[in-house]
Amino acid sequence: MRNILQNFFGRPQGFLGSIGGRIMAFTNKELNEWTLSLLNIRSSDRVLEIGFGPGIAVEKISNIIKEGIIVGIDPSEIMLSQAQKRNEVAISEGKVKLHLAEIENLPVFDETFDKIFSINSIIFWNQPIKRLKDLRKLMKPNGLIAITIQPRSKEANNEIALEEGKKLVQYLKEAGFSQIHLEVKEMKPVLAVCAIGVNPSS
């Protein structure tokens, strides 16, 4: 089951990956809008998305930022292709930069970020606490991180979603973030949760 989910959503490849991208573009729309509303993105923000998928959230952010930039990484060539097509104009304007990369092997970025987020991506990360520590190093002091999950397994329910949310809060705490809190959104078929933390200024 995990391999199927990985082919569809973790690192989409081939025909299944192409279908997975279309599914994500549709099913993650509400999750994207909710997560971005929690980040309160400003026109001058530098934003990093981990696992941009078909580029839906990237597109929304590119319409908000003017002086800032939205950067994304994703390990799937299919998702990179779909996201590049969706954001072709913003890429040509320099407002969007997309990288084929894994969270375990981050690219070198020329500046730090005001906001970092991921949506249904952390479940595929190896050593999530270590990965979150790596992301902290890329953030400005007082920068904001948001990690969103809506469980998609067959056995998922609201109780499992809340437990996943508690795990996210603990991950952020162990990674050194502060002012951590959990946001919950009523959705179908199960709740979505978003753990938000701040990169301490000292």
Side-chain angles (χ1 to χ4, degrees), residues 84-164:
Q84 285 175 330
K85 289 177 182 176
R86 179 170 275 111
N87 294 279
E88 186 175 2
V89 173
I91 291 172
S92 68
E93 293 173 346
K95 294 166 64 175
V96 171
K97 289 185 180 179
L98 302 177
H99 300 269
L100 183 67
E102 300 179 349
I103 181 68
E104 292 82 9
N105 189 20
L106 290 166
V108 176
F109 301 108
D110 54 2
E111 291 185 52
T112 51
F113 295 95
D114 300 282
K115 313 278 170 64
I116 295 180
F117 73 101
S118 80
I119 299 171
N120 281 339
S121 168
I122 195 171
I123 58 174
F124 300 109
W125 300 1
N126 294 320
Q127 297 179 285
I129 296 170
K130 185 178 188 304
R131 304 285 82 85
L132 289 168
K133 288 180 178 179
D134 292 339
L135 292 178
R136 262 195 69 208
K137 297 174 184 176
L138 302 177
M139 298 177 70
K140 295 178 182 179
N142 298 312
L144 201 63
I145 191 167
I147 309 293
T148 296
I149 289 180
Q150 184 189 29
R152 299 287 173 86
S153 63
K154 186 181 294 185
E155 64 274 11
N157 55 38
N158 287 348
E159 184 177 346
I160 288 174
L162 290 173
E163 286 301 314
E164 290 298 318

Side-chain angles (χ1 to χ4, degrees), residues 34 147 149-151 155-170 181-187 190-195:
W34 177 55
I147 309 293
I149 289 180
Q150 184 189 29
E155 64 274 11
N157 55 38
N158 287 348
E159 184 177 346
I160 288 174
L162 290 173
E163 286 301 314
E164 290 298 318
K166 291 176 183 177
K167 286 183 187 177
L168 294 180
V169 168
Q170 187 61 32
H181 66 280
L182 185 69
E183 296 282 346
V184 178
K185 181 173 177 59
E186 292 276 357
M187 289 185 66
V190 299
L191 294 172
V193 293
C194 180

Side-chain angles (χ1 to χ4, degrees), residues 7-58:
N7 287 339
F8 260 82
F9 305 117
R11 188 183 299 178
Q13 301 175 27
F15 178 69
L16 285 180
S18 181
I19 294 173
R22 293 186 178 93
I23 292 173
M24 281 188 281
F26 177 75
T27 59
N28 280 354
K29 183 175 184 293
E30 190 175 358
L31 279 180
N32 286 329
E33 292 177 353
W34 177 55
T35 303
L36 298 187
S37 73
L38 297 174
L39 285 168
N40 189 29
I41 293 170
R42 301 165 299 184
S43 65
S44 60
D45 278 344
R46 289 180 54 84
V47 184
L48 172 64
E49 180 177 13
I50 307 299
F52 52 72
I56 302 296
V58 169

Side-chain angles (χ1 to χ4, degrees), residues 73-86:
I73 70 162
D74 199 286
S76 165
E77 292 184 7
I78 288 179
M79 293 298 95
L80 176 63
S81 176
Q82 289 188 14
Q84 285 175 330
K85 289 177 182 176
R86 179 170 275 111

Side-chain angles (χ1 to χ4, degrees), residues 58-73:
V58 169
E59 182 180 24
K60 289 183 178 297
I61 294 171
S62 72
N63 291 326
I64 297 172
I65 59 173
K66 296 294 184 281
E67 305 84 23
I69 190 171
I70 166 67
V71 180
I73 70 162

